[in-house]
Amino acid sequence: MKSERLLSILLLLQTRGRVPAHELAERLEVSVRTIYRDVEALSGSGVPVYAERGRHGGIALLPGYRTDVTGLTADESRALFVLAAEGTHAALGLDSAIGSALRKVMAALPAPHRPGAELAARRILVDPVRWLGGPRPAVDLEALQDAVFSDRRIDVRYRHSGRSAARDYTVDPYGLVSKAGVWYLVADRDGAPRLLRVDRVEAAEVTGEPVRRRPGVELADVWEELRRRVEDRSGAIVVEARVRRPWLDMFVRMNGAYMTALPAEGLDDEDWVPVRLAFGDIREIRQLLSFADRAEVLSPSEARRELARAASSIVGLYADDG
């Protein structure tokens, strides 16, 4: 709608200052001619907006002009108050800031939208931490935040999974990502993307060197690439198994990350339910032993042999107790 487009132009100019007409046209998905007509409409309604042509020209508001119109719809107002759990902001040292910001937004909302926003804040809670996640080490994000916001390289001492000794690296950070309650530093190391769990960073020091990111690459791009790598199961060991029906829900909760699909429906009369899983390493299959005789691996044979070896080791460990 034209009214929404006019308000979008006003808010963009208020936030960005001078903006080229072609950029406004691209963002609002209209023609440059339409943008100039909209500028005339804003000017006619009393908004001190003007256009400058030429290489360094653009659309701008007169210096000092601001409007207290938020332009938020009812749904947008509610969405602002359905935010991540306080733990995320606390880790960044922003707990008090987010509360203050939301109070200011609430005060600026159109009166009809305030009850809906308040209700959303009371009725919706987002907790990013998984059930039974267990105790986690304290995470110090201060130095990493400093590097991210100052665009500086950072020296880290990092302990890889399964290794007792940490190693030293110099990395070029793109940013920080919180996924399911776990913080990650997304960075380049020697020009290649890397994902570092923050709770494995034993020491971090911001250097005086400017960051050396790959041109045109943003945090979201690198995260998407790394996320795909983690979730990519090509070349994985595919395991066919079956689970006793009463234990199926628990099996899915505990091993859902390895399942290639949800169990087939329409098998209510069967005591055993077939499942398929994909593991990146043969040793990961050992975790299925936690279900004892309530789950059975059918194939491949190497998976059955791995479980047999693990079970034999367990028997040997406890055999002396009779």
Side-chain angles (χ1 to χ4, degrees):
M1 295 175 60
K2 181 177 180 180
S3 59
E4 293 180 358
R5 191 171 67 247
L6 293 176
L7 186 54
S8 295
I9 293 173
L10 178 58
L11 294 175
L12 282 169
L13 296 179
Q14 186 169 282
T15 303
R16 298 269 309 278
R18 181 179 287 104
V19 182
H22 70 84
E23 183 176 332
L24 288 173
E26 290 175 1
R27 294 193 62 164
L28 300 177
E29 299 181 345
V30 295
S31 67
V32 172
R33 180 177 297 180
T34 297
I35 291 297
Y36 281 120
R37 284 201 297 263
D38 289 344
V39 169
E40 291 178 3
L42 285 171
S43 179
S45 64
V47 176
V49 60
Y50 64 95
E52 287 187 353
R53 300 189 181 273
R55 181 180 177 184
H56 301 291
I59 313 297
L61 296 169
L62 286 179
Y65 176 81
R66 295 193 66 80
T67 175
D68 60 359
V69 177
T70 66
L72 294 174
T73 66
D75 285 345
E76 291 167 343
S77 303
R78 285 194 293 270
L80 281 176
F81 288 83
V82 181
L83 298 174
E86 288 84 352
T88 303
H89 302 101
L92 296 171
L94 298 175
D95 242 3
S96 59
I98 189 66
S100 174
L102 289 177
R103 286 192 295 273
K104 292 177 181 178
V105 171
M106 181 68 76
L109 285 177
H113 296 347
R114 291 175 192 168
E118 291 174 344
L119 185 62
R122 294 199 308 270
R123 295 290 185 265
I124 305 296
L125 175 66
V126 179
D127 186 345
V129 181
R130 295 180 61 182
W131 290 110
L132 304 176
R136 290 179 179 170
V139 174
D140 185 3
L141 292 173
E142 185 175 354
L144 302 182
Q145 282 190 84
D146 189 10
V148 166
F149 291 122
S150 64
D151 288 332
R152 298 290 177 180
R153 309 187 85 195
I154 185 167
D155 293 331
V156 297
R157 181 172 298 117
Y158 186 73
R159 181 183 60 80
H160 293 274
S161 176
R163 296 184 180 179
S164 57
R167 300 184 63 179
D168 294 327
Y169 301 107
T170 298
V171 298
D172 298 291
Y174 287 90
L176 292 160
V177 175
S178 177
K179 182 172 178 61
V182 179
W183 282 99
Y184 295 90
L185 174 68
V186 177
D188 277 353
R189 193 181 81 218
D190 298 327
R194 294 290 186 267
L195 192 62
L196 287 75
R197 274 187 63 140
V198 172
D199 56 12
R200 294 191 192 136
V201 176
E202 297 184 356
E205 183 177 353
V206 182
T207 74
E209 299 179 64
V211 71
R212 303 174 188 174
R213 301 188 186 108
R214 286 166 285 153
V217 179
E218 297 292 339
L219 171 61
D221 304 320
V222 187
W223 172 253
E224 179 63 20
E225 178 183 353
L226 293 169
R227 185 190 62 79
R228 284 200 307 266
R229 288 187 190 178
V230 172
E231 297 178 353
D232 182 16
R233 297 184 181 179
S234 59
I237 301 170
V238 178
V239 170
E240 302 287 347
R242 60 177 186 169
V243 183
R244 290 195 184 275
R245 179 166 295 282
W247 297 90
L248 180 62
D249 288 343
M250 180 179 292
F251 186 91
V252 172
R253 286 199 302 271
M254 295 180 63
N255 297 285
Y258 299 98
M259 298 181 66
T260 60
L262 291 175
E265 299 180 0
L267 301 172
D268 293 339
D269 296 333
E270 299 292 334
D271 183 41
W272 291 92
V273 179
V275 293
R276 174 178 289 186
L277 307 99
F279 295 96
D281 188 283
I282 191 68
R283 292 170 296 182
E284 294 178 351
I285 296 170
R286 293 188 173 208
Q287 63 191 304
L288 299 183
L289 286 174
S290 62
F291 282 85
D293 60 349
R294 303 177 188 113
E296 179 187 7
V297 169
L298 304 175
S299 67
S301 57
E302 62 176 316
R304 291 177 61 89
R305 288 194 296 269
E306 179 66 23
L307 290 179
R309 284 192 294 268
S312 178
S313 298
I314 294 172
V315 171
L317 184 64
Y318 293 102
D320 290 343
D321 294 338

